[in-house]
Amino acid sequence: MWFIYLLSWLSLVIQISFVTLAIAAGLYYLAELIEEYTVATSRIIKYMIMFSTGVLAGLYVFEGFPVLMVGVGLFTNLVYFGLLQTFPYILLSSPNFILSCVLVVVNHYMAFQYFAQEYYPFSEVLAYFTICLWVIPFAFFVSLSAGENVLPSTMQQGG
């Protein structure tokens, strides 16, 4: 009985290691694609922001989400559009970047407060967090290193 119990813990450690390696390899591949195709990446992020804006509007119109929560989400998307103006060069000290980080935290706080008061199935809560809160910041996060390897002839860095 104890031997299979120890084997189960060993297999859990091995499985966690494999999942971690798979995620790391996927992130590395995504970063390579973003560095290679910065213009296409910028366009894809722009469409993701537009889709998120449409989803937020739909949540307000069809689901009755709070105006303040949707408004902050829309303002966050506007700030993300500002980050696209200098893409792939994202300065970590720029006001746009700092404001987007603050707004991500504010959006999460507002979402946690709302979903703590209103019942929604877990899959619907996860859909909101994924589409409206996580995908766009994750795309910017993965593309942070893209500006370091872009040829200077494609876009001059301001400053």
Side-chain angles (χ1 to χ4, degrees):
M1 189 68 108
W2 61 270
F3 186 69
I4 192 82
Y5 179 74
L6 288 177
L7 282 179
S8 69
W9 279 104
L10 177 64
S11 69
L12 180 66
V13 169
I14 292 171
Q15 292 166 359
I16 289 172
S17 300
F18 283 151
V19 167
T20 303
L21 285 174
I23 290 172
L27 287 175
Y28 180 76
Y29 183 69
L30 270 176
E32 289 293 321
L33 283 176
I34 288 170
E35 288 176 5
E36 185 74 24
Y37 304 104
T38 55
V39 174
T41 301
S42 175
R43 191 174 309 122
I44 289 170
I45 292 174
K46 181 177 88 173
Y47 292 142
M48 287 171 29
I49 295 170
M50 291 167 46
F51 180 73
S52 175
T53 301
V55 168
L56 285 168
L59 289 172
Y60 174 71
V61 171
F62 301 118
E63 297 291 329
F65 271 48
V67 176
L68 184 62
M69 190 167 106
V70 171
V72 171
L74 293 173
F75 180 67
T76 304
N77 286 349
L78 189 66
V79 172
Y80 291 152
F81 273 123
L83 281 176
L84 276 181
Q85 300 304 313
T86 59
F87 188 84
Y89 300 109
I90 299 174
L91 297 174
L92 300 181
S93 60
S94 73
N96 252 3
F97 182 77
I98 294 170
L99 182 60
S100 69
C101 291
V102 169
L103 286 172
V104 164
V105 172
V106 170
N107 276 326
H108 276 79
Y109 176 76
M110 294 176 80
F112 284 131
Q113 289 296 317
Y114 177 71
F115 289 116
Q117 296 170 358
E118 297 287 327
Y119 172 77
Y120 284 92
F122 180 71
S123 61
E124 294 175 10
V125 174
L126 190 61
Y128 173 80
F129 273 85
T130 302
I131 294 171
C132 297
L133 299 182
W134 293 340
V135 172
I136 300 165
F138 180 75
F140 279 119
F141 175 74
V142 171
S143 65
L144 280 177
S145 67
E148 299 169 358
N149 299 323
V150 175
L151 293 174
S153 62
T154 58
M155 181 178 175
Q156 292 296 325
Q157 189 174 13

